[in-house]
Amino acid sequence: MDCVRARRVTTLISLLLGSTALMPGAMAQEAAAPVPGTTGPAGQPGGDTAAGDPQDTTAAPADDAIVVTGIRRGVADAISLKRNNTSIVEAISAEDIGKLPDVSIAESIARLPGLAAQRVAGRAQVISIRGLAPDFTTTLLNGRQQASSGDNRAVEFDQYPAELLSSVVIYKTPDAQIAGMGLSGTADLRTVRPLAFGKQAFAVNVRGEKTEGSKLNDDIRNIGYRVSASYIDQFANGTIGVALGYARIDSPSGNRHYKAYGYEAFGDQTDANGAPVNIVRPDGADGALLINGQEVFVTSRSNVRDAFIGILEWQPSDYVHSTLDVYYSKFRQNEVTRGAQWFSNPFADGLTFTDVATGDRGGSKVAAGGTQIGAVPIVRNDNNRRNDELFSAGLNNEFRLDDRTQFFADLSYSMNKRDEQILETYAGYGLGVGGVTPTTPNIGRTLDNIAFETPVDGFPTYGAGLNYADANRVSLGDRAPWGGWGHDGAIRYPKVDEKVYALDLRLTHEVEGFFSGFDVGVNWTHRSKAKTVSDNDLFLKNGRQQVLVDSSFLLTPTNLGFAGFGNVLTFNPADLLDRYYDIAPIRDANFYDKNWSILEDVITWHAKANIDWGRLKGNVGVQVVNQDQSSVGVVINGLEPGQPIVPQRIRDGASYTDVLPSLNLIYDLGGGHRLRFAASKTMARPRMDDMRANVAPGFNSLVCSGQPCAPGTIVNPWSASGGNGKLKPWRADALDAAYEWYINPTTYLSIAGFYKNIKTYIYQQSGTFDFSGIPLPTTANAIPAGVVISNIGQITLPANGNGGSVKGLEFSGAFNFGTLASVLDGLGVQGSLSLTESNLNPTSNPDPTQAVRIPGLSGTVYNLTGYYERAGFQARISQRYRSGFKGEVVQLFATRGFTEILADKQVDAQIGYTVQGGALEGLGVLFQVNNLTNSPYRTRLGLDGGGTKTSDGGSLLETYETYGRQFLLGFNYRF
């Protein structure tokens, strides 16, 4: 080891020993991993630079060459990936990722043209490509399909640390040699290839982070750290390569949350004795829209993820090349939520409103402030825990049979499993004897007067009259109106387990002429996925006797001051389970419907011809996909009130074949100008939960109440809902065209258009089902004697129906101002704008006023980044925006549903310096602020065209959350 390297090692050891906190960053990984079985530089199909294009100056330089590093290196590598691929792709490189201390790769790729992230708990988690839901996207790791711990196929990208990835390529048009391509696009996450990297490297990063302000809950801190280390080396005269990486985040997060349940206009009413009741005062406020229920919570989360990669390459000769990839991550999340929720509905507690001030919103009279008289807040203490474990391994072998022929064999395995606990408890002001039930509806319920001010946008302000942090007055127990919720809390245990096995075999042969080579092969993929949810009610002991919480369990009260409510009683509900609660399993129809398992075997035969004819390059290919699917579920065989449900196990499934041709063409116009054209048939396999073979029946004993039922009349009282094991994929015909101008390695312009004709869409439809074998409930006695009860009834389930189109324009580019003048070198900008629209209406209702929006579609998405980099100094500021869309979220009872998410704009900024010479060369310091403008997460009431509207058709705010700014400061060192 030379003196310079020795000094660097000494400096590194000193930094590590002197650090009081470990904080992460990313390694400068300069070589992208290939898709298994591809050829060309960096593993890119068609890796040669097109005729007339500027030469790629980011290739490995000679010792005396000037090396472009940092932000510009990342920009140049990403542009090179985009330019050299025969498919239309977007890309991000290791240098770009490495310069951003992102929690996950989702935060990085959300800035790519045509891509948009959905924030979950404040972090980008799932990605939509070209306005289609994450269900339409396939995620690969080094070209291999990945298992998901989500409820369906969409991979949660926050399980993949940016620090351990070398590049990401988003395929917008398919490549026939890659099995499992998505309908909207395919995200291929790639790790480094140590032999292609070509030199020894070691990097370590440490960063500390803090969310602004004080911690929201006493038992979850708001200070964390990140640490990563990577090592790359080559041995045995460059025939063996090794890459090892480790990344850990301990990243707390939190949010302030408000939700309105709905808006109603309340008129005057009469009491039980017929006397008039003035609901809203003054009378001038009659008819104003008032919030009929609300919740105010603060949530704190501890997010700890450990991730490892290991890559071993062996290339003893030009004829054999083997690569083993291993990736493992474990993600542990602990979430605590505290706050209050209550109804402000006159029908709940005889509640009235006084001193109501109104304002005009969209031509409607809406209450802007006043006082709720007779409210009963419910104090919530919830604790959710989630553990995700991901393991992925792949062995790729390349054999050169002769100068023109290669054989590839790739074997892979991916596993992802999720274990959750969802725990909620209820408390309220007062202490009664017994508990709230329909026969004792007011036990321990104390009415309160709560002042309110409700802005058009933002958090409302509430002034409670009682102290909900008083441990001598606030007791455990159900406080809901209308006789209560029937339990004093709930605990649920969702579990998801998915495994993917795959074998890919491919043969390539190079020729001369119009076609430069041929690829043929077959891929077999076996996927299994199972979901279970154990539902349990919590009942207070001693006949649901309301009880004060022992002081030994109490924590510092949680402050809801952001909404003016004050403090609420705080404890860890998990600590109280054994002492205060009995746990009772719930085995209702909903429980059985949430449990299912799916098996899939997919065989993909593929063939591709590569085109290399003068200025024309590209490929033409076809896939023949044989798919076999089966689902195990239950028919819920029993509806007798008070009697246990007897599930009848069933299996359902289908087999089918798809033929998917594809064409990708590039025509070089010279001078860096290019035209691209692509045409293809694509598909996406159905959602897993839609494929469940479950049937939940219902029986209408009042079927004769609206029709004459003489003896001999045949009636159909049976109905059901469930899944559909026979679902076929979403299928689409796609056309793409693009103009690209590559000016230099860090400057380009692209204008692209796309059109997707989706042949069928999956949505809820009605059909028939034979209910033979399910016993009639005793309620069937209400049907007159002699009436014939048919075993055929209606079932509502997901099915393939009418389709529609999705089309859009995408503008993207990068500009290095050094192109204009050398004095401006280092100053640059990147940006993209995507405009998308669709006529898809996934419903069988022909009424145009009942149109249904497709999930994930934002009409406008843009990203803009400005950067400056010179003499070791680096600065960057980025903004990403997406217009409102329908997003999928976790809702009540651990089920998934949709909500209308309003427009989202997020700004991130960073500044840093890297030492350019001397003993400290390679040492960098970085400061970053994420969510610089504290952008809120907002939803509106209603779905699609539904929900309460103002007179001008505008919507009203439902959810408003803020997550706070996140500050990061750290160091990186590499040599």
Side-chain angles (χ1 to χ4, degrees):
M1 179 180 294
D2 58 27
C3 294
V4 173
R5 178 167 292 184
R7 287 196 300 269
R8 291 178 179 176
V9 172
T10 302
T11 303
L12 172 62
I13 295 172
S14 299
L15 285 171
L16 293 177
L17 293 178
S19 297
T20 57
L22 293 178
M23 303 164 281
M27 175 181 176
Q29 297 174 342
E30 301 165 356
V35 175
T38 61
T39 60
Q44 294 301 314
D48 294 334
T49 303
D53 276 355
Q55 294 300 306
D56 183 3
T57 61
T58 64
D63 291 341
D64 58 349
I66 297 174
V67 180
V68 179
T69 61
I71 295 174
R72 284 175 293 169
R73 176 59 185 263
V75 173
D77 285 352
I79 292 174
S80 178
L81 285 167
K82 178 181 178 69
R83 179 178 65 241
N84 290 336
N85 207 302
T86 49
S87 297
I88 296 177
V89 304
E90 306 296 343
I92 192 164
S93 74
E95 283 286 341
D96 198 18
I97 296 169
K99 292 298 180 182
L100 289 174
D102 292 323
V103 174
S104 74
I105 198 62
E107 302 283 354
S108 298
I109 63 178
R111 293 177 286 126
L112 293 173
L115 276 71
Q118 179 179 329
R119 285 199 284 176
V120 177
R123 302 195 315 275
Q125 187 181 78
V126 293
I127 299 293
S128 295
I129 300 178
R130 288 182 159 177
L132 290 169
D135 298 317
F136 293 91
T137 301
T138 297
T139 300
L140 313 173
L141 179 62
N142 292 325
R144 304 171 179 114
Q145 294 185 49
Q146 293 296 286
S148 168
S149 61
D151 288 357
N152 287 289
R153 300 179 189 276
V155 166
E156 297 178 352
F157 285 93
D158 55 2
Q159 293 189 4
Y160 297 89
E163 297 90 339
L164 301 184
L165 295 174
S166 133
S167 64
V168 180
V169 176
I170 307 296
Y171 288 86
K172 292 181 174 178
T173 63
D175 187 316
Q177 74 182 43
I178 303 176
M181 298 291 283
L183 185 146
S184 62
T186 302
D188 189 9
L189 315 180
R190 301 180 182 180
T191 57
V192 71
R193 286 294 175 256
L195 291 182
F197 192 88
K199 56 186 176 181
Q200 184 189 69
F202 180 77
V204 62
N205 284 272
V206 288
R207 286 195 182 96
E209 65 177 70
K210 181 184 184 299
T211 303
E212 70 173 323
S214 57
K215 57 184 180 180
L216 300 180
N217 285 281
D218 183 53
D219 46 348
I220 300 288
R221 53 186 166 78
N222 67 339
I223 296 176
Y225 66 87
R226 307 181 190 186
V227 59
S228 68
S230 299
Y231 168 71
I232 301 175
D233 212 339
Q234 302 79 33
F235 305 93
N237 296 320
T239 61
I240 296 177
V242 175
L244 301 173
Y246 166 71
R248 177 183 175 87
I249 66 166
D250 186 340
S251 177
S253 62
N255 65 278
R256 298 169 173 87
H257 165 92
Y258 161 76
K259 181 177 181 179
Y261 297 156
Y263 289 77
E264 290 187 64
F266 301 109
D268 292 340
Q269 303 171 21
T270 58
D271 62 17
N273 299 318
V277 178
N278 193 358
I279 299 296
V280 181
R281 295 187 295 272
D283 290 338
D286 285 349
L289 291 172
L290 291 122
I291 295 175
N292 61 16
Q294 55 267 295
E295 63 189 33
V296 179
F297 297 147
V298 293
T299 298
S300 300
R301 300 174 188 88
S302 170
N303 308 293
V304 179
R305 183 191 62 213
D306 291 284
F308 305 84
I309 62 166
I311 301 156
L312 176 63
E313 265 191 294
W314 181 54
Q315 190 171 9
S317 69
D318 292 337
Y319 297 95
V320 177
H321 186 187
S322 297
T323 306
L324 174 66
D325 295 289
V326 177
Y327 175 75
Y328 174 82
S329 72
K330 191 167 187 177
F331 200 175
R332 299 173 296 281
Q333 301 172 75
N334 180 29
E335 175 184 279
V336 295
T337 297
R338 276 90 182 215
Q341 61 184 152
W342 67 99
F343 293 95
S344 47
N345 188 324
F347 301 102
D349 293 296
L351 183 143
T352 61
F353 299 88
T354 188
D355 300 326
V356 175
T358 63
D360 181 270
R361 296 184 192 172
S364 295
K365 185 164 59 174
V366 179
T371 301
Q372 304 167 357
I373 307 297
V376 183
I378 300 166
V379 176
R380 289 283 293 271
N381 277 263
D382 299 354
N383 181 207
N384 300 337
R385 297 176 182 270
R386 173 171 170 171
N387 293 325
D388 293 86
E389 187 174 10
L390 168 62
F391 175 75
S392 182
L395 176 63
N396 181 257
N397 295 285
E398 305 176 13
F399 304 97
R400 181 170 291 278
L401 305 181
D402 56 43
D403 290 342
R404 293 175 175 266
T405 309
Q406 288 180 279
F407 176 72
F408 303 85
D410 191 89
L411 181 65
S412 65
Y413 168 75
S414 178
M415 176 276 295
N416 209 326
K417 62 181 180 181
R418 176 182 106 217
D419 291 300
E420 280 188 276
Q421 168 198 281
I422 301 175
L423 169 61
E424 59 185 49
T425 62
Y426 320 134
Y429 196 96
L431 181 62
V433 178
V436 172
T437 68
T439 57
T440 57
N442 295 309
I443 296 297
R445 303 181 78 246
T446 305
L447 303 181
D448 192 6
N449 298 336
I450 301 177
F452 66 93
E453 293 181 6
T454 309
V456 175
D457 194 21
F459 291 116
T461 301
Y462 294 101
L466 301 174
N467 179 9
Y468 292 92
D470 187 347
N472 296 315
R473 297 297 182 92
V474 177
S475 65
L476 300 175
D478 184 4
R479 296 302 201 280
W482 301 294
W485 283 328
H487 56 274
D488 302 304
I491 186 167
R492 296 178 173 85
Y493 298 99
K495 293 185 178 182
V496 173
D497 191 346
E498 181 171 1
K499 296 181 177 64
V500 178
Y501 302 84
L503 174 64
D504 192 271
L505 303 175
R506 191 164 67 93
L507 185 70
T508 69
H509 183 69
E510 298 177 3
V511 296
E512 294 180 357
F514 181 82
F515 293 112
S516 61
F518 297 92
D519 300 84
V520 294
V522 61
N523 175 279
W524 167 79
T525 299
H526 172 80
R527 184 186 302 265
S528 64
K529 185 159 192 165
K531 180 182 179 183
T532 61
V533 182
S534 175
D535 290 338
N536 303 273
D537 276 334
L538 300 180
F539 296 101
L540 289 168
K541 295 180 181 295
N542 303 318
R544 299 186 64 192
Q545 172 59 51
Q546 296 173 9
V547 61
L548 299 175
V549 179
D550 188 282
S551 61
S552 63
F553 294 110
L554 296 179
L555 303 172
T556 301
T558 299
N559 186 358
L560 304 180
F562 72 95
F565 192 87
N567 294 335
V568 294
L569 192 74
T570 298
F571 51 84
N572 183 347
D575 294 340
L576 273 60
L577 288 177
D578 292 339
R579 179 163 176 177
Y580 293 107
Y581 294 97
D582 293 321
I583 300 177
I586 304 171
R587 296 297 180 262
D588 59 4
N590 185 54
F591 163 77
Y592 288 104
D593 196 35
K594 289 189 292 189
N595 292 269
W596 45 263
S597 64
I598 307 289
L599 288 175
E600 296 177 343
D601 282 288
V602 180
I603 298 177
T604 303
W605 303 88
H606 54 86
K608 184 177 74 170
N610 297 313
I611 299 171
D612 190 354
W613 189 55
R615 293 182 176 270
L616 183 67
K617 295 181 182 294
N619 59 63
V620 59
V622 65
Q623 292 185 346
V624 179
V625 186
N626 300 306
Q627 301 152 91
D628 183 59
Q629 65 191 38
S630 65
S631 172
V632 175
V634 296
V635 174
I636 300 169
N637 192 352
L639 296 174
E640 195 63 41
Q643 297 298 316
I645 292 175
V646 181
Q648 177 184 343
R649 193 174 181 87
I650 60 171
R651 182 184 295 271
D652 197 7
S655 298
Y656 40 84
T657 299
D658 281 273
V659 179
L660 307 174
S662 62
L663 172 69
N664 291 283
L665 294 176
I666 305 170
Y667 187 77
D668 179 62
L669 301 172
H673 300 273
R674 285 177 159 201
L675 294 177
R676 287 183 182 263
F677 175 78
S680 61
K681 287 184 177 291
T682 59
M683 73 170 194
R685 293 193 44 72
R687 289 169 55 103
M688 292 287 198
D689 55 0
D690 282 347
M691 293 170 61
R692 70 193 192 281
N694 290 341
V695 177
F699 190 88
N700 179 17
S701 59
L702 303 179
V703 66
C704 288
S705 61
Q707 63 175 320
C709 284
T713 301
I714 299 176
V715 295
N716 302 87
W718 286 106
S719 64
S721 62
N724 184 356
K726 291 183 171 62
L727 277 177
K728 297 181 179 180
W730 291 288
R731 297 178 172 120
D733 296 335
L735 293 174
D736 289 79
Y739 161 75
E740 299 170 348
W741 181 20
Y742 295 98
I743 302 169
N744 60 46
T746 55
T747 301
Y748 86 100
L749 173 68
S750 173
I751 302 173
F754 70 90
Y755 177 85
K756 294 183 184 294
N757 180 22
I758 300 180
K759 297 294 189 179
T760 66
Y761 200 89
I762 297 171
Y763 56 91
Q764 295 292 319
Q765 299 178 53
S766 296
T768 58
F769 185 79
D770 188 348
F771 292 84
S772 300
I774 300 179
L776 293 172
T778 55
T779 54
N781 294 332
I783 298 176
V787 173
V788 179
I789 299 175
S790 173
N791 290 325
I792 304 300
Q794 178 176 286
I795 186 170
T796 301
L797 76 175
N800 298 90
N802 295 329
S805 66
V806 179
K807 58 186 177 181
L809 290 173
E810 297 171 348
F811 307 87
S812 64
F815 188 74
N816 178 2
F817 287 93
T819 305
L820 302 177
S822 60
V823 70
L824 299 176
D825 192 40
L827 179 66
V829 64
Q830 295 175 275
S832 67
L833 170 66
S834 301
L835 305 174
T836 308
E837 64 179 39
S838 173
N839 64 2
L840 277 165
N841 183 24
T843 177
S844 55
N845 193 332
D847 184 354
T849 65
Q850 301 298 315
V852 174
R853 299 176 65 194
I854 62 171
L857 177 62
S858 289
T860 302
V861 176
Y862 73 76
N863 298 274
L864 185 63
T865 298
Y867 66 87
Y868 179 74
E869 179 180 52
R870 194 157 190 166
F873 175 80
Q874 301 168 353
R876 184 206 310 259
I877 186 166
S878 300
Q879 181 183 88
R880 66 175 186 255
Y881 168 87
R882 69 178 303 184
S883 58
F885 66 102
K886 181 191 290 187
E888 187 177 14
V889 296
V890 177
Q891 297 180 324
L892 291 175
F893 313 123
T895 58
R896 302 190 69 85
F898 294 99
T899 190
E900 294 282 352
I901 300 175
L902 298 179
D904 188 17
K905 182 188 295 183
Q906 186 167 339
V907 179
D908 302 317
Q910 72 175 53
I911 188 170
Y913 176 75
T914 302
V915 178
Q916 299 296 290
L920 295 179
E921 182 181 357
L923 175 65
V925 60
L926 179 71
F927 176 70
Q928 177 159 353
V929 183
N930 291 333
N931 194 21
L932 183 65
T933 58
N934 195 15
S935 171
Y937 168 89
R938 303 171 303 155
T939 69
R940 69 166 176 85
L941 283 166
L943 283 174
D944 304 312
T948 305
K949 301 290 186 182
T950 57
S951 295
D952 65 356
S955 59
L956 295 168
L957 188 69
E958 177 189 44
T959 301
Y960 190 91
E961 291 184 355
T962 60
Y963 305 103
R965 299 170 183 85
Q966 183 187 43
F967 303 96
L968 300 101
L969 175 64
F971 302 89
N972 56 77
Y973 188 65
R974 63 192 66 183
F975 63 91

